[in-house]
Amino acid sequence: MPLDRSIIARLSLFEGLGPAELDSILRDARSVRFAKEAAIFEQEAEARSFYVLLAGHIRVVRTTPDGRQVIARYISEGEIFGVAAALGRLTYPATAIAAVDCVVLVWPNAVWPDLSSRFPVLTAGTFKTVGARLQDTQARVMELATEQVEQRVASALLRLVKQTGRKTDAGIEIDFPISRQDIAEMTGTTLHTVSRLLSAWEERGIIVSGRQRVTITDAHRLVMLAEHRDG
Amino acid sequence: MPLDRSIIARLSLFEGLGPAELDSILRDARSVRFAKEAAIFEQEAEARSFYVLLAGHIRVVRTTPDGRQVIARYISEGEIFGVAAALGRLTYPATAIAAVDCVVLVWPNAVWPDLSSRFPVLTAGTFKTVGARLQDTQARVMELATEQVEQRVASALLRLVKQTGRKTDAGIEIDFPISRQDIAEMTGTTLHTVSRLLSAWEERGIIVSGRQRVTITDAHRLVMLAEHRDG
DNA sequence: GCGCCAATTTGCGCCAGCGCAAATCGCCTG
DNA sequence: CAGGCGATTTGCGCTGGCGCAAATTGGCGC
């Protein structure tokens, strides 16, 4: 049963492609479901496929030789990921884990050169995605190098709500389960420090939070915290 | 006076291209010389060109809104850089400064789509470079997030000697002037701490250093320092 | 060869944030 | 609805490394 082109037609990565072209691209793909906390691919494993996330949220984690983990980024719907091979790598540099139940499209790497040359839009879009990632990553280096923990955590939350925020009556909620530990691994600190910060912010009415859940109620003040050292 | 193809024939970026193709690529380029400490392009400036470094070393620096600087990377001979436009950006994300007198090739951005489609090797090579950079940058995030200052400085020195090391009778020397401040801006610390570390290492015979100059005399012990917390 | 200036070194005090440990809390399961 | 477990909170003490400031050094221009 072939995949319906409607599932990718709306994605910016495939913008400007006609129905026949979309079908042609989909012919090489298959759709796969991953349960929450399942690994889509693992760090160091041979890169055999690249992916597009259709539904869900994915956590990309790198582990150091001594077992410490750092969250490289979260992937949202519509994004292409796992493009290691296109970047000239033989293995995945990180592990991708479904933060919630997910649906992804999978292409075997072998079709990349062909797809890439037949659809320059796709190449350009992938360049753009990778470029944006390089940007983000460098911005994080800047943050880690120059900012205090409080600023970094505030920025991380703001980035998350911007990327995946869902309006609720209390404010904007991060749309998937995220623990203090996760936030610590995004910002280079410990879950203890994150917990203390979130508690203090909750006290001041900037956020409300619970188990694996954070809602920003006063984004403006959080921005102040992220930028300055007041709030 | 047209540029001679021999100046780029040896670069891996242009590997596999024939004489006519090299000439064709060079037709759009011009060669420019930059004096030490001159800026090749500036952060936030409109991205009009992309570059290949023919001779010298370039320091890529990002400045925060409040004026703090972080060295994103050093560019070595043969590398393509300033590819902001190919990545879908309108401005340069950082400032590029000649660490020593440099010679670069410059292409106007306008020719990229054409070159890229005519020479897939070039596209792939650029992908590869950008991918490697993304790798490096993420490795730095890991370091900043999980390692102590001593490890980070040791790793930075090792990366520099690997990239640009020049053998001397005392050991391997970093091939361009680099200050304590520069090292601090690469590792997210202060020149004071870097100075203290280098002094201690010199005491222990691991390096010798002077004004804007560092030579590794015992790389093995530096690797130990970078990995562990002994040495 | 002298003087100037930037780069480097080093001492000292302080504090943000980590490590450790213990207590709670919420959810999910049986 | 009790039990169990992982997530979270919070107290406490310690320290790596920063900020400040002053002294010293090495090289370069004149």
Side-chain angles (χ1 to χ4, degrees):
Chain A
M1 177 193 66
L3 297 165
D4 191 289
R5 74 177 77 101
S6 68
I7 62 178
I8 62 165
R10 64 191 167 81
L11 305 183
S12 69
L13 184 63
F14 303 103
E15 209 169 302
L17 295 174
E21 298 177 309
L22 293 174
D23 287 343
S24 156
I25 290 172
L26 278 177
R27 206 163 298 132
D28 295 318
R30 74 209 150 82
S31 165
V32 181
R33 186 174 301 271
F34 287 91
K36 182 177 171 181
E37 298 302 318
I40 288 93
F41 55 77
E42 306 242 16
Q43 184 169 333
E44 312 296 326
E46 187 193 347
R48 299 174 188 280
S49 315
F50 61 95
Y51 305 81
V52 165
L53 178 59
L54 289 182
H57 293 281
I58 288 170
R59 186 171 70 235
V60 180
V61 182
R62 293 182 62 134
T63 305
T64 62
D66 58 306
R68 301 198 51 176
Q69 297 198 325
V70 173
I71 296 182
R73 80 175 65 83
Y74 279 91
I75 309 272
S76 309
E77 295 183 10
E79 273 188 71
I80 187 170
F81 67 102
V83 292
L87 300 177
R89 288 188 52 95
L90 298 176
T91 61
Y92 295 110
T95 298
I97 294 184
V100 296
D101 290 350
C102 287
V103 181
V104 304
L105 288 180
V106 189
W107 284 263
N109 274 334
V111 306
W112 172 256
D114 184 49
L115 284 186
S116 172
S117 65
R118 276 162 62 212
F119 308 111
V121 216
L122 222 166
T123 312
T126 304
F127 253 126
K128 206 164 175 173
T129 299
V130 174
R133 249 166 232 182
L134 184 50
Q135 275 315 292
D136 292 351
T137 310
Q138 294 205 324
R140 263 181 89 190
V141 167
M142 301 280 286
E143 265 188 33
L144 284 164
T146 67
E147 258 143 68
Q148 315 253 112
V149 168
E150 182 168 41
Q151 276 76 358
R152 303 207 302 265
V153 174
S155 300
L157 289 187
L158 287 169
R159 252 179 279 125
L160 285 173
V161 290
K162 195 169 187 178
Q163 193 186 345
T164 73
R166 195 172 52 82
K167 266 235 166 64
T168 71
D169 45 357
I172 314 176
E173 182 175 357
I174 293 169
D175 199 24
F176 52 83
I178 183 165
S179 70
R180 307 291 183 264
Q181 176 72 39
D182 291 333
I183 298 175
E185 289 177 5
M186 297 181 67
T187 52
T189 180
T190 63
L191 79 163
H192 307 280
T193 299
V194 171
S195 178
R196 279 181 252 267
L197 285 171
L198 296 199
S199 297
W201 292 344
E202 187 144 14
E203 196 99 13
R204 296 164 62 190
I206 299 175
I207 65 168
V208 296
S209 75
R211 196 168 251 243
Q212 317 232 71
R213 197 176 50 70
V214 181
T215 305
I216 278 77
T217 53
D218 188 344
H220 184 262
R221 264 204 290 173
L222 200 55
V223 170
M224 304 275 313
L225 280 172
E227 289 179 348
H228 256 176
R229 42 191 66 205
D230 54 61
Chain B
M1 176 194 67
L3 297 164
D4 191 290
R5 74 178 76 102
S6 68
I7 61 179
I8 61 165
R10 65 190 166 82
L11 305 183
S12 69
L13 185 62
F14 304 102
E15 207 170 303
L17 294 174
E21 297 176 310
L22 293 174
D23 287 342
S24 157
I25 290 172
L26 278 177
R27 206 163 299 132
D28 294 318
R30 74 208 149 82
S31 165
V32 181
R33 186 175 302 272
F34 288 90
K36 182 176 171 180
E37 297 303 316
I40 288 93
F41 55 76
E42 307 241 16
Q43 184 168 334
E44 311 297 325
E46 188 193 346
R48 301 173 187 279
S49 314
F50 62 94
Y51 306 81
V52 165
L53 179 58
L54 289 182
H57 293 281
I58 288 170
R59 187 169 71 236
V60 180
V61 182
R62 292 182 64 134
T63 306
T64 63
D66 59 304
R68 300 196 53 177
Q69 297 199 324
V70 174
I71 295 182
R73 80 177 64 86
Y74 280 90
I75 308 272
S76 308
E77 295 183 10
E79 272 188 71
I80 187 169
F81 66 102
V83 292
L87 301 176
R89 289 189 52 95
L90 299 175
T91 60
Y92 295 110
T95 298
I97 294 184
V100 296
D101 291 349
C102 286
V103 181
V104 304
L105 288 180
V106 190
W107 285 263
N109 274 334
V111 306
W112 172 255
D114 184 49
L115 284 187
S116 172
S117 65
R118 277 162 60 211
F119 307 111
V121 218
L122 222 166
T123 311
T126 304
F127 253 125
K128 206 163 175 173
T129 300
V130 174
R133 250 167 231 182
L134 184 51
Q135 275 316 293
D136 291 350
T137 310
Q138 294 205 325
R140 262 181 89 189
V141 167
M142 300 281 287
E143 265 188 32
L144 284 164
T146 67
E147 258 143 66
Q148 314 253 113
V149 168
E150 184 168 41
Q151 276 77 357
R152 303 208 302 266
V153 174
S155 300
L157 289 187
L158 287 169
R159 252 178 280 125
L160 285 172
V161 290
K162 195 168 188 179
Q163 193 186 345
T164 72
R166 195 173 51 82
K167 266 236 166 67
T168 70
D169 45 357
I172 313 176
E173 181 175 357
I174 293 169
D175 199 25
F176 53 83
I178 184 165
S179 69
R180 307 291 183 266
Q181 176 72 40
D182 290 334
I183 298 174
E185 288 177 4
M186 295 182 68
T187 52
T189 180
T190 62
L191 78 162
H192 307 280
T193 300
V194 171
S195 178
R196 279 181 251 268
L197 284 172
L198 296 201
S199 296
W201 292 345
E202 187 143 14
E203 197 97 12
R204 296 164 61 191
I206 299 174
I207 66 167
V208 295
S209 75
R211 200 166 248 242
Q212 318 233 66
R213 197 176 49 70
V214 180
T215 305
I216 278 74
T217 52
D218 188 343
H220 183 263
R221 263 203 292 174
L222 200 55
V223 170
M224 303 276 314
L225 280 171
E227 289 179 349
H228 247 190
R229 41 191 66 206
D230 54 60

